[in-house]
């Protein structure tokens, strides 16, 4: 817990310093608009506190972020935290939905590969899995969106695909799903490969392990051996890997995919804030992302110990 | 995610065996061939193509020009700004972009930059990770703890936000550290940023490997004979982590090419006048509807290269340690 | 200058006949449009929050578009398109003001029954007008410079005490008088901008955009609810009654603005019939397709704009006139118009064509690479390093790359630098950051050439921070001509000076390389009619109507 706080503190200082060092990012100039008088700018510096020493400004920003909760963006002077709060369910909807798809598909492909190890199906699935991981995610999203909502939109099978945006679940579950299916697929495609490979390797390891061979020697059918004995152990690395990946996805990858589909979750907010060099939302989002990653890592460490019976014996 | 292969130390004999296994893997052969082909096309063959076939380079703009095809005169860029699309001709084979530049030529030259950035940043990343992993894993204790915390800090920072923050700061005014002066449009900036951001990813498995090896007898023996730590790290440990390092290197090159594309998409990758696959996509994306080739073609180039690298890396891992136990930490 | 808050401005198409046009009939049938229908709700979209809903603060197209429908000032620009839209007519004032005292005193009579919306619900008084102008000084308004010519304004700006002595409001007689320190013909233009729109006395000295009880309207509409980043609803002002033909009643009942609609989304949603109208222009990559598929739904509006590359005369190699002229010879303006999707007309002039006799086109710099190269050589700056700057919003990066390519062709060594728009404008307007050559554009704040010359080229207005004279042009003789013209009343004599200055600056200074007057394409629902584009207020909500 102390480690978490230290890491977050270090990150917040790093972000603050980086974005105050950039020339041209002077927020007073930006806030003053295009016809400022010297007086305007001086006044803005005073009102917003840009004339105070850096560490005072840092403290004030932290206070507004955590305690007073009224942090305001430089770009359009709107409150940062409500925008983030609005964005979190959207990002989670995207990440969780995609995660379900990539987990199920990944495990399936991995198991199939392992069973048919060395044979044609294995090789093909390997290449497919690796191909998915090799595609730039934003490119895949952009190209699919173009093909399905423009080029081939008139085809009946694609005519329902919406051109982007997000509909809250409460408004219409069907629309919500329709708007998310393509982003889910895109986010899943680039993640399936890892899982498939890990499950495959893990299964191979376990399938060759002594206790499985014993079970088979005792006459248990292949299927029973597979499902009961090997699958559970195989899932251990999957779970740990998933924890890290999900943390990384929510904390990071969504920045590339949300702007393409106009989902307006925290990822898109991050991308816009970065483009505008807008420090207050960036600070909040970076800490939020880092928090997620660290928590995910911690949970994974704990879960690994708990799940793997071998480590418990040790 | 971190994946580590714990190898049985087998010295140099292991590589010969691995090479034979690799040769027998068709996927590996094909990907290696593809990679070699890409390198050949982008580096020596590209200028030949320019000189012999189409006579204009990647940055030669030709907005008011015309293509003569089949008796027709087609404007390179229409009055409404739409560039010509792909066609069977030597010039503007894949069409042009909004500035009248030849897309095929840009992809060739862009490949140079993307590959250069990917490979150099991977080498730099692995180099740094080796140092940190070796020192941390071997010394242990306080040093290891400090290194570990530093790596954790970098790794906890959401990857793209960190990369963008660093790249933006450096790109705005360039960097002046003592005698070292880097201009803001230098390639060194994306290279260094990408390398640094992924050091923790590579250093962790290396460190884990070093930790495991450290307890082994041959290291104890070396210590007993009075060898200094540097010598042990270079002579005993380094050869034994060579296999995992090599595997990680191929995977990191693949990863870095993708990251370069992503950073260019976010606007902080390779500076705009030098074409790279990533920034060609970024510039073409806004006109994906009227000129889809601008977005699709460089993406396919990236995909083919990265798949080949990943398949090769995967095959390498299989070849070096076919019965390796994969432990996830 | 105002900008679009998110500039996805794109240029017009090939087809002539889009000059401030109004909507045509719906897609299927041909025939003249039916008579306006009252009622209906316009479903609108905007990419982000408007900068402000406070007339004292808003300085963007989106903000002014909304405020034009909700608020009024003593004067207004005629609610029409093209050159007609540059005429100034009375609004809350009963008539154009009496100008006395050698052009230093303006006296207005305030109409008696212009009502503020609920909860204020009373008639506008002259003291409200005085209050609103003084408030500008208390809130650091971006439009302050328009009103510093009033006697006592500068003193008030410093002390914030006692009001502005030069504004005399007489509620009993219903008059308000402005005393200026010097004659200023442009004062009438200033009074027609939203900065001079009237708010009730007592309005707080801070941004009232999110304070519904202080978003008081005088016009046919009012902003009844505003949730930033989500939605903005404009409904009818129950206290409004039309008082002149120049203050239209409005046909629509309601305008629902969804905030956060991206340009791409807007195109798809308007095509699907889910959205009627979008604040921003058509994204460049969709314009060709849309003009082909929905010709009746794409409108091209002419606005008063000059798009140009500006050269900093204080930084080598642009300290030399020959080099600046070389740039003007080297760029092919038609090629640049292509980069902007053909949505504009090429120009070499500083002043845009919509300014009547102030615009006299000249052709001093025909496209000539050889001549440009020669000038560079003669100036001895071959091989000089030049960085061409621009912002990231498409297609500006392409234009910047084009110019860099051209500079390389004529013997310089050019590279490119782009930045996000929100930091780009502040960067090029500080002396420290002011680059050698940069993309720039200028849209009118008010439709008069002074808004170009005095702001952008008058050497007396060069400052260190917030500098709009990015070229740092300072020619005392021309500065005097600008100052002289400012004092003159609006009309042909004044315009003649502007036209002369246009030629003089381009010939003898060439701090600019103007290349285009950019047009503004919009894609709208087939049911939307009555689109009138005014150069200052943009599209006028009160003239829009929906058919079914």
């Amino acid at each position: 817990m102390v480690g978490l706080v230290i890491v977050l503190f270090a990150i917040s200082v790093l972000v603050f310093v980086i974005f105050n060092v950039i020339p041209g990012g002077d927020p007073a100039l930006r806030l003053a608009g295009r016809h400022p008088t010297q007086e305007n700018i001086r006044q803005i510096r005073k009102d917003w506190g840009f004339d105070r020493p850096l560490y005072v400004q840092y403290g004030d920003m932290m206070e507004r972020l955590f305690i007073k909760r009224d942090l305001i963006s430089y770009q359009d002077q709107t409150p940062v935290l409500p925008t983030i709060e609005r964005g979190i369910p959207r990002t989670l909807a995207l990440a969780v939905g995609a995660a379900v798809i990539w987990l199920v598909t990944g495990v399936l492909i991995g198991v199939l590969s392992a069973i048919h190890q060395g044979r044609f199906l294995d090789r093909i699935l390997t290449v497919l899995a690796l191909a998915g991981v090799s595609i730039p995610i934003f490119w895949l999203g952009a190209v699919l969106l173009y093909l399905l909502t423009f080029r081939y939109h008139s085809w009946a099978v694609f005519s329902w695909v919406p051109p982007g945006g997000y509909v809250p679940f409460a408004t219409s579950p069907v629309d919500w799903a329709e708007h998310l299916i393509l982003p889910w697929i895109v986010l899943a495609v680039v993640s399936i490969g890892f899982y498939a490979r890990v499950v495959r390797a893990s299964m191979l390891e376990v399938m060759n392990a002594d206790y499985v061979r014993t079970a088979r020697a005792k006459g248990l059918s292949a299927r029973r051996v597979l499902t009961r004995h090997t699958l559970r152990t195989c899932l251990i690395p999957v779970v740990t890997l998933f924890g890290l990946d999900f943390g990384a996805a929510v904390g990071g990858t969504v920045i590339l995919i949300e702007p393409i589909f106009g989902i307006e979750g925290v990822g898109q907010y991050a991308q816009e804030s970065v483009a505008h060099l807008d420090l207050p939302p960036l600070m909040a989002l970076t800490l939020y992302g880092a928090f997620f990653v660290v928590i995910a890592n911690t949970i994974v460490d704990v879960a690994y110990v708990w799940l793997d019976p071998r480590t418990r014996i040790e | 995610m971190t994946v580590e292969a714990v190898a049985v130390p087998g010295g140099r004999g292991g590589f010969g065996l691995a090479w034979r296994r690799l040769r027998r893997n068709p996927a590996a052969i094909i990907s290696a061939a593809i990679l070699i082909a890409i390198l050949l096309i982008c580096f020596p063959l590209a200028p030949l193509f320019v000189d012999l076939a189409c006579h204009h380079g990647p940055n030669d703009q030709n907005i008011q020009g015309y293509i003569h095809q089949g008796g027709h005169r087609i404007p390179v860029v229409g009055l409404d700004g739409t560039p010509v699309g792909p066609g069977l001709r030597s010039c503007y084979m894949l069409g042009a972009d909004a500035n009248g530049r030849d897309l095929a030529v840009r992809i060739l030259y862009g490949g140079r930059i993307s590959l250069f950035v990917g490979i150099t940043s991977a080498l730099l990343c692995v180099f740094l990770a080796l140092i940190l992993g070796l020192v941390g894993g071997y010394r242990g204790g306080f040093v290891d703890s400090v290194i570990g915390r530093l790596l954790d800090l970098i790794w906890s920072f959401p990857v793209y936000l960190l990369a963008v923050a660093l790249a933006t700061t450096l790109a705005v005014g360039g960097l002046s550290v003592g005698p070292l002066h880097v201009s803001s449009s230098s390639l060194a900036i994306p290279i260094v940023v990408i390398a640094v951001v992924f050091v923790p990813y590579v250093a962790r498995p290396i460190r884990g490997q070093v930790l495991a090896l450290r307890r082994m007898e041959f290291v104890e023996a070396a210590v007993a004979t009075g060898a200094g730590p540097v010598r042990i790290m270079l002579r005993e440990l380094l050869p034994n982590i060579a296999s995992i390092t090599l595997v990680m290197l191929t995977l990191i090159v693949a990863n870095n090419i993708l990251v370069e594309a992503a950073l260019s998409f976010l606007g902080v990758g390779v500076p705009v006048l030098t074409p790279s696959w990533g920034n060609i996509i970024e510039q073409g994306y806004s006109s994906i509807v009227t000129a889809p080739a601008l977005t699709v073609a460089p993406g396919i180039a990236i995909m083919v290269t990265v798949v080949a690298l990943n398949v090769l890396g995967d095959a390498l891992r299989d070849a070096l340690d076919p019965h390796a136990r994969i432990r996830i930490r | 200058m105002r900008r679009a808050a998110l500039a996805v401005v794109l240029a017009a198409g090939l087809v002539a006949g889009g000059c401030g046009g109004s909507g045509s009939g719906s897609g299927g049938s041909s025939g003249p449009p039916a008579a306006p229908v009252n009622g209906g709700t316009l479903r609108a979209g905007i990419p982000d929050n408007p900068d402000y809903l406070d007339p004292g603060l808003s300085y963007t197209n989106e903000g002014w578009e909304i405020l034009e429908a909700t608020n009024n000032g003593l004067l207004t620009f005629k609610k029409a398109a093209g050159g007609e839209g540059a005429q100034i007519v009375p609004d809350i004032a009963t008539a154009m003001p009496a100008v006395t005292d050698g052009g230093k005193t303006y006296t207005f009579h305030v109409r008696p029954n212009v009502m503020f919306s609920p909860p204020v619900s009373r008639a506008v008084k002259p003291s409200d007008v005085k209050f609103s102008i003084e408030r500008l000084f208390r809130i650091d308004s971006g439009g302050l410079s328009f009103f510093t010519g009033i006697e006592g304004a500068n003193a008030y700006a410093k002390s914030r005490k006692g009001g502005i002595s030069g504004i005399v409001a007489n509620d009993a007689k219903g008059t308000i008088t402005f005393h200026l320190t010097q004659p200023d013909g442009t004062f009438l233009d200033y009074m027609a901008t939203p900065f001079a729109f009237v708010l009730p006395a007592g309005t707080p000295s801070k941004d009232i955009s999110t304070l519904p009880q202080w978003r008081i309207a005088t016009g046919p509409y009012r902003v009844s609810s505003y949730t930033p980043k989500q939605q903005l609803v404009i409904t009818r002002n129950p206290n409004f009654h039309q008082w002149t033909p120049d203050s239209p009643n409005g046909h629509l009942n309601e305008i629902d603005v969804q905030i956060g609609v991206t340009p791409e989304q807007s195109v798809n949603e308007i095509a699907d019939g889910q959205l009627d109208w979008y604040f921003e222009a058509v994204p460049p990559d969709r314009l060709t397709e849309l003009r082909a598929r929905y010709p009746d739904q794409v409108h091209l509006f002419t606005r008063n704009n000059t798009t140009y590359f500006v050269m900093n005369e204080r930084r080598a190699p642009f300290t030399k006139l020959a080099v600046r002229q070389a740039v003007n010879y080297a760029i092919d303006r038609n090629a640049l118009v292509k980069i902007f999707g053909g949505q504009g007309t090429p120009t070499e002039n500083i002043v845009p064509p919509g300014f009547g006799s102030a615009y006299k086109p000249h052709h001093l710099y025909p496209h000539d690479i050889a001549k440009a190269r020669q000038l560079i050589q003669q100036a001895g700056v071959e091989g000089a390093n030049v960085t061409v700057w621009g912002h990231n919003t498409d297609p500006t990066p392409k234009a910047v790359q084009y110019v860099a390519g051209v500079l390389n062709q004529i013997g310089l060594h050019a590279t490119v630098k782009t930045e996000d728009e929100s930091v780009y404008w502040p960067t090029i307007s500080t002396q420290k950051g002011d680059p050698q050559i940069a993309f720039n554009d200028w849209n009118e704040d008010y439709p008069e050439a002074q808004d170009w010359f005095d702001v952008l080229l008058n050497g007396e207005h060069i400052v260190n921070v917030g500098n709009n004279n990015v070229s740092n042009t300072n020619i005392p003789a021309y500065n005097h001509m600008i100052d002289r013209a400012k004092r003159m009343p609006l009309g042909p004599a004044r315009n003649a000076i502007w036209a002369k200055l246009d030629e003089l600056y381009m010939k003898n200074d060439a701090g600019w390389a103007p290349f285009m007057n950019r047009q503004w394409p919009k894609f709208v629902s087939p049911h939307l009619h009555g689109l009138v584009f005014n150069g200052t207020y943009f599209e006028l909500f009160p003239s829009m109507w929906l058919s079914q």
Side-chain angles (χ1 to χ4, degrees):
Chain A
M1 214 21 65
V2 176
L4 173 65
V5 173
I6 292 182
V7 165
L8 291 182
F9 173 70
I11 287 180
S12 68
V13 170
L14 202 58
V15 170
F16 191 80
V17 167
I18 287 178
F19 281 93
N20 268 298
V21 157
I22 301 177
D26 185 349
L29 283 179
R30 197 193 313 188
L31 289 167
R34 218 171 150 176
H35 268 294
T37 62
Q38 299 285 37
E39 186 56 36
N40 277 2
I41 296 172
R42 216 186 46 76
Q43 191 62 37
I44 289 176
R45 275 200 221 281
K46 200 156 78 90
D47 291 341
W48 286 73
F50 296 138
D51 51 354
R52 294 171 302 170
L54 276 183
Y55 63 88
V56 174
Q57 290 186 50
Y58 170 80
D60 180 62
M61 183 173 283
M62 291 298 115
E63 187 189 15
R64 303 190 88 175
L65 175 56
F66 290 111
I67 302 178
K68 290 202 275 193
R69 303 183 65 81
D70 65 351
L71 191 62
I72 298 203
S73 117
Y74 297 156
Q75 178 69 11
D76 53 17
Q77 291 93 54
T78 51
V80 170
L81 292 171
T83 315
I84 294 183
E85 276 157 35
R86 178 171 161 265
I88 287 181
R90 297 168 175 228
T91 304
L92 284 180
L94 170 62
V96 169
V100 166
I101 297 180
W102 90 53
L103 272 181
V104 168
T105 322
V107 168
L108 214 63
I109 293 185
V111 167
L112 278 176
S113 287
I115 296 177
H116 299 276
Q117 182 202 10
R119 300 211 289 268
F120 185 65
L121 185 60
D122 177 28
R123 297 238 189 261
I124 283 288
L125 287 176
T126 302
V127 174
L128 279 181
L130 289 177
V133 167
S134 311
I135 308 179
I137 184 175
F138 60 93
W139 179 82
L140 183 64
V143 171
L144 278 183
L145 203 58
Y146 157 70
L147 289 174
L148 301 190
T149 64
F150 182 74
R151 188 69 180 276
Y152 301 117
H153 193 54
S154 45
W155 292 14
V157 62
F158 296 138
S159 56
W160 59 269
V161 180
Y166 178 87
V167 174
F169 187 77
T171 311
S172 159
V174 173
D175 276 341
W176 172 85
E178 268 185 10
H179 279 80
L180 282 174
I181 290 186
L182 203 52
W184 279 339
I185 292 178
V186 171
L187 188 50
V189 160
V190 302
S191 313
I192 291 178
F194 287 129
Y195 290 87
R197 303 303 296 153
V198 165
V199 167
R200 175 182 180 277
S202 189
M203 276 208 67
L204 284 177
E205 174 191 341
V206 168
M207 276 183 352
N208 289 325
D210 291 337
Y211 71 93
V212 171
R213 284 200 255 150
T214 313
R216 293 224 63 189
K218 280 206 270 178
L220 287 173
S221 82
R223 186 191 253 174
R224 232 154 148 219
V225 169
L226 261 179
T227 51
R228 204 171 258 184
H229 295 272
T230 64
L231 204 54
R232 179 148 42 104
T233 329
C234 299
L235 289 181
I236 295 170
V238 170
V239 167
T240 57
L241 186 57
F242 174 73
L244 301 172
D245 250 355
F246 190 76
V250 176
T253 318
V254 289
I255 198 179
L256 293 174
I257 187 176
E258 282 183 19
I260 305 264
F261 289 96
I263 292 179
E264 292 185 72
V266 289
Q268 188 163 355
Y269 194 32
Q271 184 262 330
E272 288 167 1
S273 305
V274 150
H276 299 321
L277 296 180
D278 193 357
L279 178 55
L282 271 176
M283 178 66 80
L285 288 164
T286 311
L287 291 178
Y288 147 86
F291 176 76
F292 238 101
V293 170
V294 172
I295 288 285
N297 280 347
T298 315
I299 293 182
V300 159
D301 283 342
V302 167
Y304 180 68
V305 168
W306 182 75
L307 272 178
D308 188 348
R310 286 175 290 177
T311 57
R312 266 191 262 163
I313 294 174
E314 279 165 30
Chain B
M1 104 173 157
T2 62
V3 176
E4 31 185 292
V6 182
V8 176
R12 279 162 205 100
F15 279 111
L17 205 56
W19 174 242
R20 284 210 291 280
R21 273 191 223 112
L22 205 56
R23 268 194 310 177
R24 272 189 262 135
N25 182 343
I29 310 258
I30 297 179
S31 12
I34 291 178
L35 286 169
I36 293 178
I38 291 177
L39 282 169
L40 279 177
I41 294 175
C42 290
F43 285 88
L45 291 184
L48 278 176
F49 178 68
V50 168
D51 285 339
L52 298 176
C54 63
H55 313 292
H56 46 236
N59 282 330
D60 290 341
Q61 302 180 82
N62 194 9
I63 299 181
Q64 302 281 63
Y66 289 90
I67 303 175
H68 301 270
Q69 188 179 17
H72 297 291
R73 236 171 128 231
I74 310 173
V76 172
V77 178
L79 277 176
D80 62 350
T82 311
V84 64
L88 275 156
R89 41 180 184 253
S90 60
C91 273
Y92 301 104
M93 189 189 305
L94 288 175
D97 69 2
N99 283 60
R101 297 177 292 208
D102 189 325
L103 179 63
V105 175
R106 281 178 76 75
I107 290 185
L108 292 182
Y109 280 82
R112 289 189 177 191
I113 303 292
S114 293
L115 289 168
F116 177 70
V117 170
I119 294 176
T120 323
S121 62
L123 287 172
L124 180 59
C125 176
V126 168
F127 177 68
L128 291 172
L130 270 176
I131 295 179
L132 291 176
L134 272 173
V135 169
Y138 181 71
R139 297 293 265 171
F142 181 66
V143 170
D144 182 35
S145 169
V146 166
I147 291 182
R149 287 281 149 268
L150 179 63
L151 294 179
D152 275 347
L153 179 64
I154 298 180
W155 195 237
S156 305
F157 212 122
V159 164
Y160 287 109
L161 290 181
L162 176 62
V164 170
L166 286 176
T168 313
T169 325
L170 294 176
V172 169
L175 183 64
S176 294
V177 176
L180 188 67
H181 183 82
V182 175
S183 100
S184 63
S185 52
S186 153
L187 282 180
I189 292 173
I191 290 177
V192 168
V193 166
I194 298 177
V196 164
V197 166
F198 284 98
V199 162
Y201 181 72
V202 180
R204 251 188 186 186
I206 290 183
R207 173 185 168 276
Q209 180 89 324
V210 170
L211 276 177
L213 288 173
R214 183 158 136 266
R215 287 189 226 107
M216 293 197 170
E217 291 148 350
F218 70 96
V219 173
E220 285 180 8
V223 172
T225 61
V230 175
R231 201 180 196 172
I232 296 182
M233 284 195 271
L234 288 178
R235 275 265 184 91
E236 311 292 341
L237 294 173
L238 195 52
N240 286 305
I241 58 175
S243 55
I244 187 178
T245 306
L246 193 58
V247 171
M248 299 256 28
L249 185 62
T250 32
L251 296 180
I252 286 291
V253 172
N255 175 66
N256 287 5
I257 293 180
L258 287 176
V259 174
E260 181 269 315
L263 287 186
S264 294
F265 176 72
L266 292 175
V268 291
V270 173
V272 139
L273 260 190
T274 330
S276 79
W277 286 336
N279 69 25
I280 297 177
I281 295 181
E282 191 262 331
Q283 289 184 63
Y285 168 56
S286 58
S287 48
I288 191 172
V289 173
T290 45
L294 294 175
T295 310
V296 172
I300 292 183
I302 294 180
M303 201 168 91
V304 168
T305 311
V306 175
V307 164
L309 280 166
N310 275 327
V311 168
L312 188 59
D314 197 60
L316 254 177
R317 180 173 29 208
D318 272 349
L320 286 168
D321 298 297
H323 300 299
R325 283 202 226 113
I326 313 272
R327 220 174 277 142
I328 309 291
R329 253 183 252 280
Chain C
M1 172 204 85
R2 285 168 295 134
R3 293 193 305 287
L6 283 180
V8 192
V9 182
L10 258 316
L14 322 164
V15 175
C19 249
S22 50
S24 50
S26 50
S29 53
S30 53
V37 166
N38 283 340
T41 299
L42 183 76
R43 299 162 302 171
I46 192 175
D48 207 338
N49 303 322
D51 67 333
Y52 295 101
L53 294 173
D54 184 330
L57 289 170
S58 176
Y59 210 164
T60 58
N61 305 326
E62 295 86 355
W64 284 22
E65 233 167 342
I66 296 173
L67 291 169
E68 178 276 329
T70 59
N71 291 75
N72 304 75
L74 288 174
L75 300 172
T76 180
F77 296 106
K78 198 153 184 224
K79 310 280 169 106
E84 223 191 316
Q87 285 177 37
I88 304 172
V89 296
D91 200 357
I92 293 188
T94 55
M96 294 301 286
V99 183
T100 52
D101 199 9
K104 291 202 287 192
T105 304
Y106 290 76
T107 309
F108 298 84
H109 283 266
V110 175
R111 245 175 248 281
N113 321 343
V114 176
M115 302 293 284
F116 285 117
S117 61
V120 173
S121 292
R122 60 163 174 81
V124 174
K125 300 198 291 258
S127 46
D128 295 311
V129 180
K130 176 172 158 108
F131 174 88
S132 305
I133 306 281
E134 287 170 355
R135 178 172 175 269
L136 297 176
F137 290 83
R138 294 196 292 273
I139 58 178
D140 287 323
S141 166
L144 269 187
S145 55
F146 293 171
F147 303 100
T148 46
I150 303 175
E151 260 178 32
N154 284 325
Y156 182 70
K158 290 202 189 72
S159 71
R160 310 260 172 121
K161 283 202 189 60
I164 299 182
S165 52
I167 308 181
V168 180
N170 190 327
D171 283 350
K173 286 217 202 115
T175 62
I176 181 165
T177 307
F178 293 86
H179 298 279
L180 305 180
T181 53
Q182 299 186 53
D184 185 355
T186 335
F187 183 68
L188 294 177
D189 281 286
Y190 299 151
M191 290 303 288
T193 64
F195 291 115
F197 285 178
V198 182
L199 290 173
T203 305
S205 300
K206 61 178 182 171
D207 179 16
I208 48 117
S209 305
T210 49
L211 302 174
Q213 73 277 28
W214 286 114
R215 277 197 310 258
I216 303 296
T218 49
Y221 296 99
R222 58 174 177 161
V223 177
S224 53
S225 87
Y226 174 42
T227 315
K229 295 275 191 194
Q230 288 194 43
Q231 204 194 31
L232 193 156
V233 178
I234 300 171
T235 54
R236 296 203 63 88
N237 173 3
N239 290 350
F240 176 80
H241 61 273
Q242 186 172 5
W243 59 78
T244 69
D246 287 322
S247 236
N249 207 22
H251 303 289
L252 300 166
N253 269 347
E254 187 174 315
I255 302 165
D256 284 341
V257 183
Q258 202 194 332
I259 302 179
V261 178
T262 64
E264 281 300 319
Q265 251 177 294
S266 75
V267 168
N268 294 317
E269 286 182 17
I270 294 177
D272 281 346
Q274 296 163 339
L275 198 66
D276 297 316
W277 183 86
Y278 189 59
F279 270 82
E280 309 300 331
V282 179
D285 50 318
R286 303 299 299 269
L287 187 62
T288 323
E289 166 223 344
L290 291 174
R291 298 186 77 223
R293 275 164 69 168
Y294 311 100
D296 293 334
Q297 291 173 240
V298 177
H299 303 271
L300 300 167
F301 298 123
T302 306
R303 49 190 298 206
N304 295 318
N305 157 283
T306 308
T307 312
Y308 57 103
F309 278 89
V310 60
M311 293 167 273
N312 186 350
E313 298 176 17
R314 292 187 182 176
R315 292 187 63 175
F318 297 107
T319 44
K320 302 196 171 155
L321 172 64
V323 176
R324 305 196 295 269
Q325 288 176 325
V327 173
N328 270 290
Y329 278 112
I331 61 175
D332 184 343
R333 290 165 167 87
N334 290 314
L336 277 165
V337 170
K338 273 191 186 178
I339 288 181
F340 283 86
Q343 296 165 29
T345 44
T347 184
E348 287 179 37
N349 278 62
I350 294 171
V351 170
F355 285 174
S357 53
Y359 171 73
K360 272 217 200 76
H362 51 69
H363 304 284
L364 299 163
Y365 298 105
H367 178 54
D368 191 342
I369 291 271
K371 176 138 189 167
R373 223 181 258 137
Q374 194 188 28
L375 283 170
I376 295 288
Q377 274 165 3
Q378 284 169 355
V381 296
E382 258 193 291
N385 285 324
V386 173
T387 309
V388 186
W389 281 57
H391 58 71
N392 273 332
T393 308
D394 204 64
T396 303
K398 303 188 169 115
V400 173
Q401 286 178 67
Y402 169 75
V403 169
V406 160
L407 294 184
N408 280 328
Q409 257 188 303
I410 62 174
L412 296 169
H413 182 248
T415 49
V416 158
K417 174 118 188 79
T418 58
E419 275 186 336
D420 183 71
E421 246 195 290
S422 61
V423 293
Y424 177 70
W425 303 114
T427 304
I428 65 170
S429 62
T430 56
Q431 289 297 345
K432 212 163 56 120
D434 194 350
Q436 295 157 296
I437 176 171
F439 172 86
N440 210 340
D441 68 359
W442 192 252
N443 298 304
E444 57 138 288
D445 297 303
Y446 52 89
E448 221 274 332
Q450 179 189 326
D451 193 28
W452 262 246
F453 289 108
D454 195 36
V455 180
L456 307 172
L457 289 165
N458 189 336
E460 290 161 16
H461 294 155
I462 297 178
V463 287
N464 275 333
V465 166
N467 182 28
N468 280 311
N469 186 339
V470 181
S471 53
N472 288 319
T473 301
N474 189 1
I475 303 177
Y478 300 171
N479 297 344
H480 292 319
M481 281 175 78
I482 295 176
D483 291 337
R484 196 158 53 90
K486 273 162 68 172
R487 311 267 156 256
M488 296 167 65
L490 306 174
R494 179 170 161 140
N495 282 348
I497 301 189
W498 298 136
K500 188 89 189 105
L501 274 173
D502 197 329
E503 200 186 334
L504 287 174
Y505 270 118
M506 282 312 296
K507 191 146 72 159
N508 303 328
D509 178 62
W512 287 21
F515 62 91
M516 184 175 72
N517 299 116
R518 202 163 173 187
Q519 285 169 298
W520 173 267
K522 293 299 286 287
F523 178 54
V524 304
S525 151
H527 303 297
L528 183 58
H529 312 279
L531 289 167
V532 177
F533 183 90
N534 176 283
T536 309
Y537 305 127
F538 276 41
E539 275 150 283
L540 305 173
F541 285 119
S543 44
M544 294 184 194
W545 57 278
L546 287 167
S547 63
Q548 248 335 303

